[in-house]
Each structure stands twice: as structure tokens, then as C-alpha cells.
Amino acid sequence: MSARYLVAMFESLAFRLPIQVWNEYRNALDHFMRYISYPNSETKLNLRRMEGHIQRAVLDMCKIICFRMNDKLEKQIESDSIPCLRLVEDNFYERLLNDKRDCLRQLAHAKTVDHGLGENVGTNMEIVKNYLVPALGMLALWRRYEDNRLSIEKVAQILLEERRQERRNTIEESSRKWYSTTNLKNHLFPKLIMDNGGSGHCLPMARLLSLSYR
């Protein structure tokens, strides 16, 4: 049941199911067919082997989901930008970041237990639970992210309009400065130079400078 749910969730996120998971399913089906086709002393052994392959499929899916979803979240955060996400209501970004860190800590714990079990990792149910917790946590984080998509886009639009207004203000300020400077050159200085009591003679440089700084 867990394997089917995880596979369905993984595929719904547009990920392709890795070949190792299909191999576990194929091997599980092989043992199941042996179980129903050849009832003998190996019947229970085939059932146990079938369960082992399903369990390994769950383990593989949990690990892959944790790593893929972490990458997916990081790329989406980068795309939406942290300044934008920080402005989403109810401390959306801070809570998301804290919960993601918890998932990664749980994943690190599962990997530590995984390493300690050695060859028994494929038959130990406790390790499945250890990996299942962060995997389901990562899926829940992505659902929360998508549930807030409208709020994120609204904030992004507000920030975009603010940047546009800032650019317009900058352009207008530059235009005013340019007009002021051009007006000074084209109108004020020619007037100062030529205005010498109506004589049409240029003013001396010292006199010009004294007038221009009054």
C-alpha cells in the first residue's frame, strides 16, 4: 500500500520512476507467481521474498523522494526569490525552511540507521518507517508550497510593480537633472557672457565666475 501511494505521488510530480523500483516490482511479482503456481515447501519462502522486494521498493522510493523533493523545493525557492517568499503571510517562508530542515535531519538519522543495519536493511521494517517520515514530510512541504501559489504570485506582482515605479522615478529624476543642466548651459551662461550693459562684449572670466556663484 505504501509503495503504491509513493509511486503515484512521485509520478504525479512529473518524475520518471527509476528502473530500480521497477526491478523490485518485477522480482516481487516473480515470487508471487511462484507462490501461486508451485505450492510446495518453498511457498512461505517466496512470500517472504516477495515482501522483501516490495519493502526495498518502498525504501528506494522514500530515498528518491527525499532527495528529489529537496532539489525541487530549492529550485522553486530560487525561482520565486527569498525576498518575495518572506513577504507571504503567516511566516510562510520561515516555517517552510524550518520544516524542511526537520525533514533533512530525519533523513540523516534514517541514513545512519541504514548504514548500521548493513545487509539486513532490506528486511528490517523499522528502517522503512525511518525513511517514510521524511519522505511524507517532503511531499507535504511541496503541497503547502503549491497551496500558497496564489499568495506568492500576488506578492511577486506587487514587488514587480514597485521595481517598475522605482525605475520610472529614476528616469524622471535623471530627466530633470539633464534638463536643469542643459538649461543652465544653453540659457544662463550665454546670457551672462553676452550681457555687458548692452555692449555685446564678453564679461571677464573673474566677473563671470563671481556672477555664476551668486
Side-chain angles (χ1 to χ4, degrees):
M1 190 67 178
S2 297
R4 290 179 59 189
Y5 171 77
L6 293 173
V7 168
M9 291 299 299
F10 190 78
E11 291 180 328
S12 71
L13 294 167
F15 292 128
R16 295 180 61 184
L17 197 63
I19 189 65
Q20 67 263 33
V21 177
W22 284 119
N23 284 338
E24 297 297 347
Y25 280 152
R26 182 181 62 186
N27 292 332
L29 181 60
D30 177 66
H31 285 294
F32 179 70
M33 293 304 296
R34 292 183 186 186
Y35 162 69
I36 63 176
S37 300
Y38 305 101
N40 51 37
S41 58
E42 292 188 358
T43 295
K44 292 184 178 180
L45 179 60
N46 278 315
L47 280 179
R48 286 198 298 272
R49 289 175 176 172
M50 178 190 72
E51 292 173 354
H53 285 296
I54 295 297
Q55 181 171 319
R56 282 189 288 274
V58 174
L59 275 174
D60 287 341
M61 284 308 308
C62 286
K63 295 175 184 179
I64 293 168
I65 283 174
C66 286
F67 291 113
R68 290 285 188 90
M69 291 309 303
N70 185 55
D71 290 342
K72 190 177 180 70
L73 282 167
E74 288 295 324
K75 290 178 181 178
Q76 193 61 54
I77 289 172
E78 182 180 359
S79 175
D80 290 325
S81 84
I82 294 176
C84 172
L85 297 176
R86 287 187 184 279
L87 295 177
V88 178
E89 59 187 5
D90 297 330
N91 295 322
F92 166 75
Y93 176 70
E94 287 75 13
R95 291 190 299 107
L96 181 79
L97 201 62
N98 288 335
D99 291 345
K100 188 165 80 71
R101 286 170 180 163
D102 285 341
C103 287
L104 293 177
R105 280 194 291 268
Q106 292 164 350
L107 176 61
H109 171 72
K111 289 171 65 177
T112 300
V113 177
D114 185 336
H115 180 74
L117 289 173
E119 295 181 356
N120 295 324
V121 67
T123 57
N124 190 293
M125 284 300 297
E126 190 64 28
I127 192 62
V128 173
K129 297 177 183 178
N130 288 336
Y131 274 109
L132 195 58
V133 171
L136 294 177
M138 283 292 188
L139 291 172
L141 285 178
W142 183 254
R143 284 196 299 270
R144 187 197 305 174
Y145 204 111
E146 289 301 292
D147 288 343
N148 283 272
R149 173 54 50 192
L150 290 178
S151 297
I152 295 171
E153 291 178 354
K154 182 178 179 181
V155 172
Q157 186 61 37
I158 292 173
L159 292 177
L160 178 61
E161 184 57 37
E162 288 180 352
R163 287 195 294 270
R164 286 174 176 171
Q165 185 59 48
E166 288 175 358
R167 285 197 294 270
R168 286 194 291 266
N169 293 340
T170 300
I171 292 172
E172 290 175 0
E173 181 63 23
S174 298
S175 298
R176 284 195 296 269
K177 289 181 179 179
W178 178 86
Y179 178 79
S180 176
T181 303
T182 303
N183 185 65
L184 182 65
K185 290 180 179 179
N186 294 340
H187 301 284
L188 180 58
F189 279 94
K191 179 176 176 59
L192 289 172
I193 292 171
M194 299 305 299
D195 187 8
N196 186 13
S199 64
H201 298 295
C202 293
L203 290 172
M205 183 55 69
R207 177 61 174 160
L208 175 61
L209 291 176
S210 66
L211 290 173
S212 62
Y213 283 98
R214 285 182 179 179

